[in-house]
Amino acid sequence: MAKTGTTTQGLRAASERSGYYPALVAEAGEAAVGGEPVVAFLVHQETTFDSNEVRRHVTVLVLTGTRFIVSHTDEQAADDSSATPYATTSTESVKLNRISSVVLSRVVANPESYTPGTLPREVVLTIGWGAVSRLDLEPASCGDPNCEADHGYTGSSTADDLSLRVSEAGDGPDSVRQTLAFAQSLSEATTATDR
């Protein structure tokens, strides 16, 4: 479920509508925003299955005039550290000029008959700002199949700070639309900081 909007009151209402620890989620988001006006936000609740457990978590993305804010809340079952279930909420505030990439991947059915404006069946929003990078390495080689020399390694580094998947089947068409709208707002905001 994704909800989007443009005001602090709307952010609180979307957090409450998600039904996922609304007071905790709203308070964390509002504290990170402070008094800054909200330009856009996206609230995305996701349920995952981990072995024999069902886990829920919610990610809140907020765009202000100067910052991109990520809030993530996970629930945990009782364990060795706590006799009762508990939730963990973390927030990160990133200056817009630190956003290095906004990647929006769209999955469309029947691409041969695609009509502009048709809603993708799935979108993946990936945002990078340099806090987390993934390094993929593999042994380098030359074109000689008989060569036994050590050519070192080759690879790539990918900024992968946040990746959010939203599908029409799992989250509904409105959630896909809202994710597209938030991605556009964020892309436009990062372009504006380059001027």
Side-chain angles (χ1 to χ4, degrees), residues 68-149:
F68 167 66
I69 298 164
V70 179
S71 177
H72 189 80
T73 303
D74 281 303
E75 66 181 355
Q76 307 291 328
D79 58 21
D80 294 340
S81 67
S82 176
T84 60
Y86 60 98
T88 305
T89 299
S90 61
T91 57
E92 183 172 1
S93 177
V94 181
K95 290 184 179 183
L96 285 177
N97 63 3
R98 288 208 38 230
I99 304 277
S100 57
S101 66
V102 178
V103 179
L104 185 67
S105 301
R106 301 166 189 247
V107 177
V108 297
N110 304 313
E112 69 281 353
S113 60
Y114 176 78
T115 304
T118 301
L119 196 63
R121 70 177 188 197
E122 177 180 310
V123 294
V124 178
L125 175 60
T126 304
I127 304 164
W129 57 91
V132 178
S133 292
R134 184 179 68 236
L135 192 59
D136 294 319
L137 294 175
E138 60 185 39
S141 63
C142 66
D144 181 359
N146 298 319
C147 180
E148 294 182 15

Side-chain angles (χ1 to χ4, degrees), residues 188 190-195:
E188 290 170 357
T190 58
T191 300
T193 62
D194 290 340
R195 294 180 197 155

